[in-house]
Amino acid sequence: MTELIAKKRDGFALSKEEIDFMVEGYTRGEIPDYQMSAMLMAMYFRGLDKEETVNLTMAMMHSGDTIDLSGITGIKADKHSTGGVGDKTSLVLCPMVAAQGVKMAKMSGRGLGHTGGTIDKLESFPGFSCEMTTEKFFENVNSVGFAIAAQTADVVPADKKLYALRDVTGTVAVRGLIVSSIMSKKLAAGADIIVLDVKVGSGSFMKTIEDARLLAGEMVEVGKAAGRKTVAVMTDMDSPLGCCVGNALEVKEAISALRGETKGDLLELCLTIGSNILLEGGIAESEEKAREMLVRSIEDGSALKKLAEFVEAQGGDSAAVWDTSLLPEAPIKYEALSTCSGYVKSMQADGIGLVSLQLGGGRVTKESEIDLGVGLVLHKKTGDFVAEGESLATIHASSMEKAEKAAEMLRKCYEFSAEKGEDSPFIKGIVR
Ligand code: URA
């Protein structure tokens, strides 16, 4: 390992055998954290070339169990987002796609962060669980069309260790490491079609479109090298996705989208990802046709019905799908009023995520309890006009003190200008 660290430090590429040795040794605990930390820092400064990235992805994928989805009939798709604020895409996308007959067997995490992960959000339905046997997981995917299971420690154990180490050594933002971390998990999960949502902007890892395009391109190349149909969509994360940030609030927004009541960026993203899945799966012959099919699943209620079936199949009470007032709710609703007027020039999406975190909507440590009812409903986003004294957002909080602090923090996330700025497209590009 000492020789490999020096090789990378001096700018040379590691061979497949060297990468296999390093990943296997580190996963087994034979290579210590201090050596791996030095390697990660060398990778941070020297980068990884395409061959190293493919080899690292494959070594990580094979560090633990891989899921064999051959017991599930039909086309199997998966989607992954590089992470952003207010991202409830899976809750809308999976039911819409399943209503068209494509199967989605998703593994998901809880995660540290501004809000919980998809699993935490889904626990807004009383009784809902993502813990199940592999047999039950497959049975649900076959009967309902989709299932979401908690990612087990046996899938890509190398990433569990590496990601935790990257997190505390300032080495998260290395393209080759992000690609291998995400793609090893997606490949191990076994789907035929993988659609990646690469976020660009203040609330994401990739701050510029150039960086996002490089990341998207490499993830697509790695997916194809592994024989999977892979597409990456690059989308804006300068503002949170949709209007709600917070666990139960995001479930409510997802249900509203499935009822056809919420349009905007959230629906656009789900239609874009969903139509690419239908196209790659040969279910639709053009993007327009695919979009029509997905919109129809909202209009005829079949997608919403799928969500209710899914919640029931995983032990939850689906009554809240039909009556969202049954979802957890915070006791305090507080309007965050604007202290100035003008057009919203920009919003700090990551700062807005931190507002949700301080309200109790996310985890600070792995042990933190999430408050499912808290969060924010944004009334103003980039490009909107705001008059002084108008509400920027409704804060849902557990106490008045937290609500006032959240309002203070939120106001600092907005930047105003006298003139309306140019609208920038939400979908920034697609890499196939
Ligand atoms: N998400 C992951 O799973 N891994 C990364 O490295 C970055 C984002």
Side-chain angles (χ1 to χ4, degrees):
M1 188 62 182
T2 316
E3 280 168 32
L4 299 193
I5 295 168
K7 187 173 176 185
K8 191 77 222 164
R9 178 202 63 201
D10 295 340
F12 296 101
L14 300 179
S15 69
K16 180 180 179 319
E17 289 69 32
E18 289 166 340
I19 289 174
D20 286 346
F21 162 83
M22 180 179 77
V23 172
E24 280 166 27
Y26 185 60
T27 309
R28 281 202 298 261
E30 291 159 11
I31 293 174
D33 279 350
Y34 56 80
Q35 283 194 311
M36 191 49 99
S37 302
M39 174 59 88
L40 291 172
M41 193 53 83
M43 286 175 164
Y44 181 92
F45 285 111
R46 293 296 188 177
L48 286 91
D49 68 22
K50 288 188 182 152
E51 204 175 325
E52 286 177 297
T53 304
V54 170
N55 289 334
L56 181 59
T57 307
M58 297 306 167
M60 287 171 68
M61 170 189 169
H62 292 297
S63 67
D65 292 350
T66 53
I67 318 268
D68 176 6
L69 294 182
S70 59
I72 295 171
T73 51
I75 297 156
K76 278 90 63 176
D78 200 354
K79 94 109 193 24
H80 182 84
S81 150
T82 56
V85 181
D87 194 350
K88 67 285 285 177
T89 315
S90 292
L91 307 183
V92 182
L93 175 78
C94 295
M96 284 198 319
V97 168
Q100 300 305 325
V102 175
K103 306 282 170 60
M104 293 191 79
K106 269 194 77 59
M107 301 275 242
S108 200
R110 287 181 189 276
L112 295 170
H114 311 127
T115 59
T118 302
I119 294 181
D120 300 293
K121 291 173 196 176
L122 284 164
E123 285 176 355
S124 301
F125 294 104
F128 183 91
S129 171
C130 284
E131 305 294 334
M132 67 194 105
T133 61
T134 311
E135 292 72 33
K136 179 75 181 152
F137 181 55
F138 285 5
E139 190 186 309
N140 285 0
V141 179
N142 269 326
S143 59
V144 178
F146 74 104
I148 300 182
Q151 188 133 15
T152 69
D154 311 329
V155 178
V156 197
D159 184 60
K160 296 237 155 46
K161 288 191 78 179
L162 274 173
Y163 197 75
L165 192 61
R166 286 166 60 205
D167 218 13
V168 293
T169 54
T171 53
V172 169
V174 183
R175 194 169 59 244
L177 294 177
I178 298 176
V179 171
S180 54
S181 165
I182 293 175
M183 291 308 290
S184 59
K185 287 176 284 195
K186 290 293 109 183
L187 296 176
D192 316 309
I193 301 168
I194 301 167
V195 180
L196 303 153
D197 175 15
V198 177
K199 306 284 193 192
V200 195
S202 66
S204 66
F205 286 120
M206 297 295 125
K207 306 290 180 204
T208 67
I209 184 71
E210 291 75 25
D211 283 346
R213 195 167 284 122
L214 288 169
L215 182 74
E218 283 194 15
M219 290 204 285
V220 169
E221 274 184 42
V222 170
K224 289 190 168 173
R228 315 293 173 87
K229 292 181 173 169
T230 314
V231 178
V233 180
M234 293 175 289
T235 64
D236 178 81
M237 193 26 81
D238 270 329
S239 318
L241 183 64
C243 292
C244 295
V245 182
N247 298 279
L249 287 169
E250 292 186 34
V251 171
K252 209 180 256 188
E253 188 174 26
I255 292 172
S256 163
L258 287 171
R259 279 191 188 143
E261 291 161 2
T262 293
K263 307 260 190 287
D265 54 5
L266 172 63
L267 184 67
E268 179 53 27
L269 177 57
C270 294
L271 291 175
T272 306
I273 297 177
S275 55
N276 275 286
I277 291 176
L278 298 190
L279 264 183
E280 293 292 330
I283 307 281
E285 71 247 22
S286 67
E287 197 160 347
E288 294 72 44
K289 283 262 176 334
R291 277 180 170 251
E292 275 169 34
M293 290 163 82
L294 295 166
V295 168
R296 213 173 312 126
S297 74
I298 293 178
E299 288 169 355
D300 67 12
S302 56
L304 192 62
K305 202 159 145 262
K306 274 277 164 241
L307 179 69
E309 277 175 44
F310 155 76
V311 171
E312 290 282 332
Q314 296 199 201
D317 179 356
S318 66
V321 171
W322 312 108
D323 176 4
T324 53
S325 70
L326 298 172
L327 289 167
E329 219 174 296
I332 309 281
K333 317 272 186 311
Y334 181 87
E335 298 305 324
L337 306 181
S338 177
T339 49
C340 44
S341 65
Y343 289 94
V344 179
K345 187 176 165 206
S346 67
M347 300 165 84
Q348 282 168 30
D350 45 359
I352 292 172
L354 289 176
V355 178
S356 157
L357 185 64
Q358 90 85 25
L359 284 166
R363 279 190 191 85
V364 183
T365 69
K366 274 192 275 186
E367 289 72 34
S368 312
E369 280 263 325
I370 283 189
D371 186 339
L372 292 170
V374 302
L376 337 92
V377 180
L378 302 167
H379 304 308
K380 299 291 177 184
K381 289 184 70 174
T382 307
D384 290 342
F385 182 77
V386 187
E388 191 182 333
E390 234 189 316
S391 176
L392 293 170
T394 306
I395 312 264
H396 292 234
S398 57
S399 71
M400 202 57 192
E401 196 191 336
K402 283 194 175 172
E404 281 169 358
K405 183 161 177 224
E408 195 64 46
M409 283 172 77
L410 180 74
R411 278 189 280 268
K412 292 192 183 128
C413 296
Y414 280 82
E415 201 188 334
F416 296 94
S417 65
E419 309 277 306
K420 189 169 164 34
E422 260 182 41
D423 288 337
S424 78
F426 170 69
I427 306 285
K428 309 264 180 214
I430 298 181
V431 180
R432 289 203 170 84

